Amino acid sequence: MARRPLPRILSTGSAQIARSRELARTAADSATDVLHPLITITRGLRRLAAAGRRRWAETPKDRRGPLLFLVASVVLVVALVPYGPLLAAVVVMSAAAWQGRDRKPPEPDGPDESQTQRLKSLYEALVPYFSTPEDPDPLYAHGGELEKVFPAYEFDQTGRTTELVIRYPAYFPDGEAEARARIEQLLHAKSGRGREYHFAWDEEGNQLTVTVLSPLPTDIAAQRFVTAPGETVLGFTDPTQVQRTLPLGYGEEQRDVPPVVWRTGIRSTEPHLLAMGQPGSGTSTLLRSIALQALQYGDVVIVEGGGTGEYACLTGRDGVLAVECGLSGATASLEWAATETERRLIAANSARQAGHPPPEDTKRPLWLLLDRPTAFSHLAAADGRKDPQALLQVPLRHGRAANVTVVVADQFDSADALSDAVRQHTRARVVLGPATAEQLRSVLGELPNTTPVAQVPPGRGYARLGAGPVHRLQVPSTPDPYDDATSDADRQAVLALLPPRTTPADGETVETGHVEAEPIQAEPLPVEAVVAESS
């Protein structure tokens, strides 16, 4: 069927509206230029009238009579003098024009002396990196022109740059990470430490844009986020990095903040996550935040290797299958998780071969949250037992098809003790706290486009989902509500998100403690056979 053309008013209406708006804007600008003297005089008369009213209000009542007599005498004298009214009108118009002038200080055409000196310092520091003796017409040379290499710049009130556009020669190897890192480190040192800078490299145009980033908000408390099933908010980032915002509550106020959303499930390309950091950097806070969000739609198994009891608030809650702090309990829980993953694969494969949808018990997400599992590796090696990390191979390799998600959090000093399966299958990465460039590259795969600062708040770091860009990240404040150092506001926010406690069949309330997960006594088929059969 031939498609009927749109009516002419619909096909050309937008162009006519845009042209009409442009004509109206041009006419308004022309009218403003023509009527500018009249606008200035009117503004001045209004200011003179306001000053007269203030003077009259400030005059005491016993002096208002003589003041009126003086004004009337002056008016009478002016009226009797030849050309008096005309001269008075000229004087009033002149005073109104003077009072109605634009009093804003004129913007400087260029940088002042201190700003010019700072630009010269940056220029001279970049000469060894952006110049070569073989260049017949070098863009960078000692004593060269600043206008050629700094086409745009902005300064703050302290005289430091807030935005700077830098041109560099085409032969500079801007595609090499080491060369770009040297330039970024130099600009960070010369532009002022203590701030975070974003570097945008335009390799086609041979330009580098340096922008000062505003600090990420650290007052975001734990709360229910507006997300779909399978979406987990890791934290919040800059508004220029993502195209989505979430409405967040700040007491009685609301703000829209751009989040870093991690998508899990069957169609996820990054089904598992690895978080690394220093002690006190906020990795446990990240795991608590993920656990509170995961309990909305699924079940959670928590394995804590630190032995600090930071997840005691989740013990005995609906959806929390186990909270283990000992080697025996952690091994039993991970054995059950591996068996459960195999059972889900077998059940889903059998239903698929029979032409039926997957069973409901295989659709509910299962989350395995492990905090410092390398501590159990050391204990198992000392006791002659099997490393519990070896039990993660099945959930990591086949967890996406079985709706099983694994989240591992550990410290940099134990990074070498992580198993190969954890390193290979955790494609969503998070680094929290201060970290060196080597540590960032080893975890994230590449360096961020921002300069890290020495002093960072807890929960502050970087996140990278798969092969995507590196985002700045601030984890929402989710502290341990049983910790005495936690504020009342944060404690109430976390307690409000906790599910109710599980009530057993006999009606007794589950007391706070560790829940032992009983391994399923079954003999499932090997996972490789199930995968081969399904394929």
Side-chain angles (χ1 to χ4, degrees):
M1 180 183 295
R3 180 177 296 179
R4 298 179 59 185
L6 295 174
R8 183 176 181 83
I9 188 173
L10 297 179
S11 60
T12 62
S14 59
Q16 292 179 355
I17 293 175
R19 192 159 47 250
S20 301
R21 290 179 178 175
E22 185 66 25
L23 291 175
R25 190 179 297 108
T26 304
D29 295 340
S30 302
T32 302
D33 295 338
V34 172
L35 300 177
H36 181 70
L38 181 59
I39 295 174
T40 302
I41 293 175
T42 304
R43 188 189 304 119
L45 290 175
R46 186 171 62 252
R47 292 177 179 176
L48 289 175
R53 288 194 300 268
R54 288 195 303 270
R55 178 63 178 174
W56 177 259
E58 294 174 356
T59 303
K61 293 183 179 181
D62 56 345
R63 295 184 182 181
R64 291 182 179 180
L67 181 60
L68 286 176
F69 179 77
L70 179 61
V71 173
S73 301
V74 172
V75 171
L76 180 61
V77 171
V78 170
L80 296 177
V81 172
Y83 303 103
L86 179 60
L87 293 175
V90 171
V91 171
V92 172
M93 292 297 105
S94 300
W98 177 257
Q99 290 292 331
R101 72 187 188 281
D102 191 2
R103 301 181 181 181
K104 295 181 180 179
E107 296 182 358
D109 296 336
D112 56 17
E113 184 177 356
S114 63
Q115 296 173 354
T116 303
Q117 186 62 32
R118 186 176 290 274
L119 291 178
K120 286 183 178 179
S121 176
L122 285 174
Y123 180 85
E124 295 295 334
L126 292 172
V127 169
Y129 300 92
F130 287 154
S131 63
T132 179
E134 293 79 10
D135 191 352
D137 186 15
L139 185 62
Y140 285 81
H142 293 289
E145 300 180 4
L146 302 178
E147 293 77 7
K148 291 183 178 180
V149 298
F150 300 136
Y153 45 81
E154 292 182 4
F155 294 87
D156 57 8
Q157 297 179 355
T158 61
R160 297 195 297 179
T161 57
T162 58
E163 187 174 355
L164 181 65
V165 179
I166 303 174
R167 294 181 56 198
Y168 57 88
Y171 53 77
F172 176 75
D174 51 4
E176 300 179 2
E178 292 78 7
R180 302 197 328 186
R182 289 194 297 267
I183 299 300
E184 294 174 0
Q185 183 180 4
L186 173 65
L187 294 175
H188 182 208
K190 293 296 182 180
S191 300
R193 298 184 182 274
R195 302 185 298 176
E196 291 188 80
Y197 298 87
H198 178 266
F199 300 95
W201 292 84
D202 183 7
E203 300 179 4
E204 296 182 0
N206 298 323
Q207 284 189 354
L208 169 61
T209 303
V210 184
T211 308
V212 177
L213 297 174
S214 58
L216 294 177
T218 58
D219 55 346
I220 301 178
Q223 54 190 284
R224 291 297 182 200
F225 303 118
V226 184
T227 56
E231 293 184 344
T232 303
V233 176
L234 300 179
F236 302 91
T237 184
D238 301 302
T240 58
Q241 297 293 321
V242 296
Q243 300 179 354
R244 175 180 177 181
T245 58
L246 290 181
L248 301 180
Y250 292 84
E252 298 180 355
E253 300 180 357
Q254 264 198 351
R255 282 188 288 177
D256 293 338
V257 182
V260 178
V261 178
W262 173 39
R263 293 174 176 85
T264 58
I266 298 179
R267 294 176 177 83
S268 174
T269 57
E270 302 88 19
H272 309 296
L273 181 139
L274 173 63
M276 301 294 294
Q278 301 289 353
S281 59
T283 54
S284 299
T285 298
L286 175 62
L287 259 64
R288 271 191 298 270
S289 177
I290 294 176
L292 293 177
Q293 299 179 61
L295 287 173
Q296 293 182 270
Y297 309 104
D299 299 326
V300 174
V301 174
I302 300 176
V303 175
E304 180 188 0
T308 57
E310 296 190 5
Y311 304 94
C313 60
L314 296 171
T315 303
R317 302 285 179 173
D318 287 348
V320 181
L321 303 182
V323 178
E324 298 295 345
C325 300
L327 177 60
S328 300
T331 303
S333 296
L334 295 181
E335 287 179 353
W336 174 85
T339 307
E340 174 67 11
T341 304
E342 296 177 351
R343 185 197 67 80
R344 291 188 177 204
L345 287 175
I346 295 173
N349 181 62
S350 301
R352 191 181 301 111
Q353 290 183 353
H356 301 298
E360 292 297 329
D361 57 353
T362 63
K363 295 181 180 180
R364 184 171 176 82
L366 175 61
W367 291 72
L368 305 179
L369 307 182
L370 294 89
D371 192 353
R372 297 196 62 189
T374 55
F376 291 124
S377 301
H378 296 299
L379 294 177
D383 200 14
R385 298 186 183 182
K386 185 179 181 181
D387 187 359
Q389 292 190 68
L391 301 172
L392 293 175
Q393 186 172 3
V394 173
L396 287 171
R397 180 176 298 179
H398 306 287
R400 182 177 63 177
N403 262 331
V404 178
T405 303
V406 180
V407 180
V408 179
D410 219 306
Q411 299 177 3
F412 283 118
D413 55 2
S414 304
D416 296 336
L418 291 174
S419 63
D420 294 337
V422 173
R423 296 172 179 271
Q424 181 179 359
H425 295 284
T426 53
R427 300 187 67 250
R429 300 293 181 89
V430 173
V431 175
L432 298 180
T436 62
E438 291 76 12
Q439 291 173 338
L440 290 174
R441 185 183 287 109
S442 63
V443 177
L444 301 177
E446 68 176 25
L447 293 176
N449 293 330
T450 61
T451 54
V453 293
Q455 301 294 332
V456 295
R460 174 69 173 80
Y462 299 94
R464 188 187 185 195
L465 304 179
V470 180
H471 301 283
R472 286 204 307 167
L473 181 71
Q474 178 62 51
V475 178
S477 179
T478 317
D480 181 10
Y482 297 161
D483 190 358
D484 296 337
T486 304
S487 63
D488 293 336
D490 291 341
R491 180 182 294 106
Q492 295 300 326
V494 175
L495 292 176
L497 299 178
L498 291 175
R501 292 193 179 275
T502 302
T503 303
D506 55 3
E508 296 181 359
T509 304
V510 176
E511 298 180 357
T512 303
H514 301 298
V515 180
E516 296 287 342
E518 298 181 359
I520 296 178
Q521 301 296 330
E523 296 293 337
L525 296 176
V527 180
E528 289 75 6
V530 177
V531 175
E533 185 179 1
S534 61
S535 60

